[in-house]
Amino acid sequence: MTARLKALLPAPSTRREPQPWEEIEADLGVLPPRDFRDFVDTYGYGSLDGLIGLVRPRVHGGETGQELRTFHGPARFPPWPAEGSLLAWGTTQAGYDLLWRRRGENPEDWPVVVVGHRAGTAHELPYGMGEFLIRMLDGSLDRPADVPGVAGHPHSRYVDVRTEEELEDAGEDPWEYVDDFWDGQERERARSEEVTWVRRPGRHRCDNPPVPRLTVQGFGLDGDHLSVSVTLDLEPSPTPLTAMVRIGGPNGDVLRATAVPVFPSGGELILRLAGRTNGTGMSWRELLHAMTHEPEWSLSVSVTDPVVGAARVEQGIVTGIGMHESGVDTAWGTWP
């Protein structure tokens, strides 16, 4: 386990019981990767913010293996312990299983695979479990899985299974701090009469590959126009780009604007919607006030750029639900 991870997630003061790694090795035929063993020896089996759980490694896919959809089309993952088979190490509340794919005999070389167990999709990441947790905690734009609610450093906590049970037996909520954190964020946002920038960035759309990640950072008035700021964790193409912006309200779509000009600015992409684009019957000021004070409103952005598809091909990112070849160059983000 790296010093980076310890800095992002302070270790508990209580000493963990030694794990039966020899027993696990006998069951699986191999020891799990070192970063996983170090983490469990330090933190125990448990959960990050009640949303990402680390479990005793177990075979995934059963005796026949499993077929999943990837960026390159359907792929069959053979049964354990064959080369390319899957071994589970974590779960999420957002419908993903977290696994390693066996690649060679050295577990330190095994990449993480995120499987959408409801959708039957899989994507492989070019790093292990420790780096996965670091990217979930450190505010990276390319969070490796879309698990909404993970507060990130310094607000996230890890609670082991025993402590969670003890708190629940005592009538305490182990994850109350997470609700308190997000409620505080919302109260801060709501206190402002006119919120120009979203306090908490939006998130990646869950049915699309998480890399490259497009994140809605904020929106507000620019004279008579609406400006939306997004970040894309890639250097955009030098060619002019356009985007699609959709605003949804309590009764469905309110506005859908296509061919919105995109202007690079200091690491961000600024989308500008002219006043004439607004056919909602509301002024931009009225629309912004509704979006930032009423929970039924949402905003989504998509940017199409060849560098997006190239990055997916390079990293072996897989498709999401309903994603076709025509959409591989498009990155999506939503708010909230």
Side-chain angles (χ1 to χ4, degrees):
M1 183 173 56
T2 67
R4 290 170 62 205
L5 184 51
K6 288 183 178 179
L8 293 170
L9 194 65
S13 56
T14 55
R15 184 178 179 84
R16 303 289 106 188
E17 295 181 1
Q19 295 298 319
W21 297 117
E22 292 182 357
E23 176 186 317
I24 293 173
E25 181 180 17
D27 289 343
L28 301 174
V30 66
L31 277 172
R34 168 60 68 181
D35 57 357
F36 180 85
R37 286 181 281 142
D38 286 348
F39 185 93
V40 173
D41 283 340
T42 303
Y43 295 84
Y45 293 115
S47 179
L48 176 67
D49 289 348
L51 298 169
I52 298 176
L54 269 67
V55 299
R56 177 170 169 148
R58 59 176 181 259
V59 174
H60 187 87
E63 296 181 357
T64 59
Q66 188 174 17
E67 185 172 286
L68 298 166
R69 290 184 292 124
T70 74
F71 183 80
H72 305 287
R76 175 158 288 281
F77 295 85
W80 182 264
E83 177 75 7
S85 57
L86 300 174
L87 190 67
W89 59 266
T91 62
T92 75
Q93 295 294 321
Y96 299 110
D97 290 327
L98 307 174
L99 311 103
W100 296 289
R101 182 174 69 84
R102 184 164 193 159
R103 190 172 67 188
E105 294 303 313
N106 185 359
E108 309 311 315
D109 297 332
W110 294 354
V112 165
V113 174
V114 180
V115 170
H117 61 75
R118 297 168 187 161
T121 58
H123 66 266
E124 182 178 305
L125 303 169
Y127 42 77
M129 181 277 298
E131 183 67 21
F132 178 95
L133 292 182
I134 287 170
R135 293 184 182 223
M136 291 301 301
L137 291 165
D138 71 355
S140 298
L141 293 177
D142 58 339
R143 271 190 169 181
D146 183 35
V147 185
V150 175
H153 179 75
H155 309 288
S156 284
R157 301 179 195 171
Y158 187 88
V159 178
D160 65 88
V161 173
R162 177 183 295 178
T163 301
E164 181 180 0
E165 291 175 348
E166 290 174 350
L167 290 171
E168 289 177 343
D169 289 344
E172 300 180 34
D173 181 1
W175 316 114
E176 184 176 5
Y177 69 90
V178 178
D179 294 336
D180 290 344
F181 170 72
W182 292 122
D183 288 347
Q185 296 287 94
E186 291 301 314
R187 285 195 297 271
E188 181 181 354
R189 182 166 62 86
R191 275 197 294 266
S192 173
E193 293 183 2
E194 292 183 11
V195 179
T196 301
W197 296 105
V198 179
R199 300 293 185 185
R200 172 163 59 100
R203 61 190 183 94
H204 162 79
R205 202 174 76 181
C206 61
D207 59 353
N208 195 50
V211 178
R213 181 183 172 90
L214 185 148
T215 305
V216 179
Q217 297 291 348
F219 49 83
L221 293 176
D222 180 9
D224 295 329
H225 311 311
L226 175 71
S227 286
V228 181
S229 169
V230 304
T231 51
L232 181 66
D233 57 332
L234 288 172
E235 188 68 30
S237 300
T239 56
L241 299 177
T242 59
M244 186 278 290
V245 177
R246 184 189 67 81
I247 296 176
N251 299 314
D253 282 4
V254 172
L255 179 146
R256 183 183 179 91
T258 58
V260 177
V262 176
F263 304 93
S265 175
E268 297 185 353
L269 301 177
I270 306 299
L271 288 55
R272 292 184 181 144
L273 286 77
R276 63 179 180 276
T277 307
N278 185 354
T280 65
M282 305 169 68
S283 68
W284 282 128
R285 189 176 300 277
E286 292 170 333
L287 190 59
L288 284 175
H289 190 274
M291 290 174 64
T292 53
H293 290 78
E294 299 174 15
E296 299 88 357
W297 290 82
S298 63
L299 179 146
S300 68
V301 173
S302 68
V303 173
T304 300
D305 191 340
V307 301
V308 172
R312 288 181 177 142
V313 171
E314 181 180 349
Q315 298 213 23
I317 300 300
V318 303
T319 61
I321 301 170
M323 184 156 182
H324 304 291
E325 190 67 26
S326 60
V328 297
D329 291 343
T330 302
W332 289 267
T334 63
W335 177 88

